[in-house]
Amino acid sequence: MSKHRLLLSGGLVLVKNETFERVSILVTDGIITALLADGDGPEDAKRIDVSDRLIIPGLVNGHTHSHGALGRGGVAGDMTLEPFLAGSAWLNASRSTHDLRLAAELSAAELIRKGCTSCFDLFIELPGPTVEGIHAVAEAYQGAGLRAVVAPMIADKTIYQALPGLLEQFDQPLRDIVAALSMPDWQDIIAVCNEAFATWPVPDGRVRPGIGPTIPLHCSDAFLTSCADVAAQHEIPLQTHLAETRLQQVIAHQKYGTSLTAHLDHLQVLSPKFSGAHGVWLSQSEADLLAAHDACICHNPLSNLRLGSGIAPVRMLMNSGVTLGVGTDASNTSDGQSMFEAMRLAATLSRAQASDSEEWISTRDAFAMSTTGSARIMGLKNVGMIAESWAADMLFLDAGYCHYTPLRTPLDQIVFAENGAGLREVMIAGEYVFANDRVLTLDEQSLAKRAADAATRLDETNTQTRLMNAAASAVVQSFCRATCALPYPN
Ligand SMILES: [Zn+2]
């Protein structure tokens, strides 16, 4: 079979995430096979002049939720995570397999548009995952050409069962209504996941399975252990929301008598396949546990700000040896899927935490977290860097754009200034997926119309649930306000 060879010639390339060099990139069947002195290259390769571009590896999103793409604007008002979860359940209700696929396509279109070439998607299907639903999301990413880990986000407890003392705060008749809510048995959830992974519908390369026990408090111990077994058996990544809010740690100490991470360690859930999203309220001893198991944390600075969860102790985690990635979180908790924005916040927020500049997250650190760090969380090898034998996932920035005029320190200028406005082309596995301001793998006009129609239909179907959720959310908010302030040992 003849090889598909491309020669990207004359660009200013970030080589090995270290230095910018004027080199040509030879791409063979989706892999970077050589970096050549400008002007060199085989005759039979298709030559593309990229001399007016800065070329960097595609950004890797270590934590998102595709269902959020259809949930934008769905929860009004200012609230922290727990009342948000209680108030937003209706947004994910009554969704068909088509709706799950549509949400993943919408999310993929935005990710690609904003310079992301791989994502870890914890998507939710209610009341529980189905093989068809998991496969529909995988097929959506395959069609979009995006690299993805598709992890059903699963729980065997409702928030009303997960937080001790919460139910007692409700008056009748709402108390009976929320008390009657339930999740599927965990054995059934695990059986669906096992079947979906064993019958994976797309070639097991660009889109792979993962498993996402949503929040440890929302999962029974037996279920968490079983999720870790599934991850080990299928050799897939496992991700959970870890210490996203202070409330989660307060409740963990009440419920387990230990921190969240110590509890997961006790259940033998920590491993190199494990990543915790957020990690805002992690202590030094928890960081040490994570590092000892070679486990990872995905930093989601924007949603942590939006929901008032706090600022994650990224420097402490990094110094402890924890591998770090960066994510956007969902489009209804951070209002978009911009990895450039998340990466910039990873660098700049650290400066609000310490006056000593040696404690800050450098642009180099933030870039590494947003590429090879998140790729490690996804279990991807040779993704996130422009180097020989690495995946040809690349972003092409307009070197004449205002962010780069004049150009002195390209990496600083990209991390601190780029917001996607200077992005001209996106390539994944050697194929352009974005060019001339169009996503080439999806029909964005049709997507927009289908999304509007789906939102109208779902909002009408879920009206009663929305009203119930809003009333429940107010009770959850007052419970959290009181409980969140309680002391817990570090
Ligand atoms: Zn999340």
Side-chain angles (χ1 to χ4, degrees):
M1 207 171 82
S2 76
K3 287 187 186 289
H4 180 60
R5 298 222 274 192
L6 276 181
L7 186 69
L8 304 161
S9 115
L12 190 58
V13 179
L14 178 57
V15 175
K16 297 183 180 174
N17 289 356
E18 282 170 6
T19 51
F20 277 86
E21 297 172 32
R22 185 103 24 211
V23 291
S24 294
I25 305 168
L26 183 66
V27 175
T28 309
D29 293 338
I31 306 287
I32 296 166
T33 43
L35 298 179
L36 303 163
D38 205 21
D40 288 358
E43 289 299 315
D44 64 336
K46 182 181 172 194
R47 187 176 289 258
I48 300 173
D49 178 6
V50 288
S51 53
D52 54 355
R53 297 286 186 259
L54 301 172
I55 307 177
I56 60 173
L59 301 178
V60 182
N61 190 344
H63 178 72
T64 185
H65 305 280
S66 59
H67 56 262
L70 261 185
R72 284 174 197 282
V75 184
D78 295 326
M79 53 183 86
T80 55
L81 176 73
E82 290 79 12
F84 170 84
L85 293 176
S88 66
W90 68 277
L91 274 171
N92 302 312
S94 321
R95 288 194 185 181
S96 67
T97 302
H98 291 298
D99 295 326
L100 300 176
R101 183 191 305 259
L102 171 62
E105 287 177 349
L106 267 179
S107 199
E110 183 176 0
L111 286 162
I112 289 171
R113 244 183 194 284
K114 296 181 178 174
C116 173
T117 51
S118 309
C119 76
F120 196 133
D121 179 13
L122 268 74
F123 82 97
I124 197 166
E125 180 175 10
L126 293 175
T130 63
V131 172
E132 298 73 28
I134 297 167
H135 286 183
V137 173
E139 285 163 354
Y141 286 115
Q142 183 75 11
L146 196 69
R147 257 179 240 287
V149 167
V150 173
M153 186 165 80
I154 47 187
D156 64 342
K157 295 178 190 205
T158 67
I159 191 169
Y160 310 102
Q161 296 162 339
L163 306 182
L166 173 58
L167 198 55
E168 289 70 30
Q169 301 302 310
F170 281 83
D171 294 328
Q172 297 294 4
L174 194 52
R175 184 166 172 168
D176 280 350
I177 295 172
V178 298
L181 299 171
S182 67
M183 302 304 275
D185 287 342
W186 68 261
Q187 291 92 338
D188 294 338
I189 300 173
I190 293 292
V192 166
C193 291
N194 273 325
E195 189 187 336
F197 302 158
T199 56
W200 199 241
V202 295
D204 190 12
R206 214 180 287 192
V207 182
R208 306 165 181 200
I211 191 159
T214 177
I215 298 171
L217 294 168
H218 295 222
C219 301
S220 64
D221 288 354
F223 180 46
L224 282 168
T225 306
S226 187
C227 287
D229 290 344
V230 170
Q233 186 192 331
H234 293 273
E235 298 187 352
I236 58 175
L238 179 153
Q239 189 171 87
T240 188
H241 293 83
L242 184 64
E244 179 171 355
T245 62
R246 189 177 188 283
L247 182 98
Q248 291 178 358
Q249 287 289 26
V250 171
I251 302 271
H253 281 274
Q254 288 177 358
K255 213 166 155 175
Y256 310 133
T258 66
S259 68
L260 286 160
T261 311
H263 185 64
L264 293 178
D265 182 37
H266 174 69
L267 296 177
Q268 299 185 318
V269 172
L270 303 181
S271 79
K273 293 185 172 55
F274 176 93
S275 58
H278 301 279
V280 177
W281 294 92
L282 291 173
S283 64
Q284 179 65 58
S285 62
E286 291 179 280
D288 292 341
L289 271 177
L290 291 165
H293 288 281
D294 208 7
C296 312
I297 290 292
C298 187
H299 183 34
N300 299 283
L302 197 54
S303 97
N304 295 339
L305 292 177
R306 168 76 142 88
L307 297 173
S309 305
I311 303 176
V314 175
R315 170 53 61 192
M316 182 274 280
L317 292 164
M318 194 178 278
N319 288 351
S320 306
V322 178
T323 299
L324 290 152
V326 171
T328 59
D329 215 353
S331 284
N332 56 342
T333 52
S334 24
D335 309 283
Q337 295 292 300
S338 172
M339 275 300 294
F340 280 114
E341 204 170 9
M343 175 166 67
R344 174 165 47 174
L345 277 170
T348 52
L349 267 182
S350 66
R351 292 141 209 256
Q353 293 174 298
S355 52
D356 179 354
S357 61
E358 293 203 343
E359 297 291 306
W360 297 354
I361 302 301
S362 67
T363 53
R364 188 170 296 274
D365 287 338
F367 195 85
M369 287 164 62
S370 307
T371 49
T372 50
S374 293
R376 161 70 214 288
I377 287 175
M378 290 178 65
L380 299 176
K381 293 206 170 70
N382 286 16
V383 167
M385 194 184 282
I386 298 177
E388 200 181 302
S389 79
W390 285 58
D393 296 0
M394 290 178 271
L395 309 184
F396 300 80
L397 301 165
D398 180 352
Y401 196 67
C402 48
H403 300 155
Y404 311 114
T405 312
L407 187 69
R408 291 197 175 92
T409 48
L411 190 63
D412 285 354
Q413 288 173 259
I414 288 167
V415 173
F416 285 139
E418 188 54 71
N419 56 4
L423 180 63
R424 294 293 172 265
E425 293 91 19
V426 177
M427 177 178 279
I428 304 176
E431 287 167 25
Y432 285 107
V433 292
F434 175 77
N436 301 315
D437 199 28
R438 278 186 50 228
V439 175
L440 305 176
T441 47
L442 291 161
D443 181 343
E444 292 176 282
Q445 267 188 337
S446 148
L447 269 180
K449 176 162 185 348
R450 286 158 56 210
D453 291 349
T456 304
R457 167 174 46 82
L458 291 168
D459 289 2
E460 185 163 333
T461 307
N462 296 324
T463 302
Q464 286 308 314
T465 315
R466 176 171 58 81
L467 295 172
M468 185 277 277
N469 286 174
S473 173
V475 180
V476 174
Q477 188 144 23
S478 88
F479 168 83
C480 290
R481 203 169 278 135
T483 309
C484 187
L486 296 175
Y488 68 88
N490 255 316

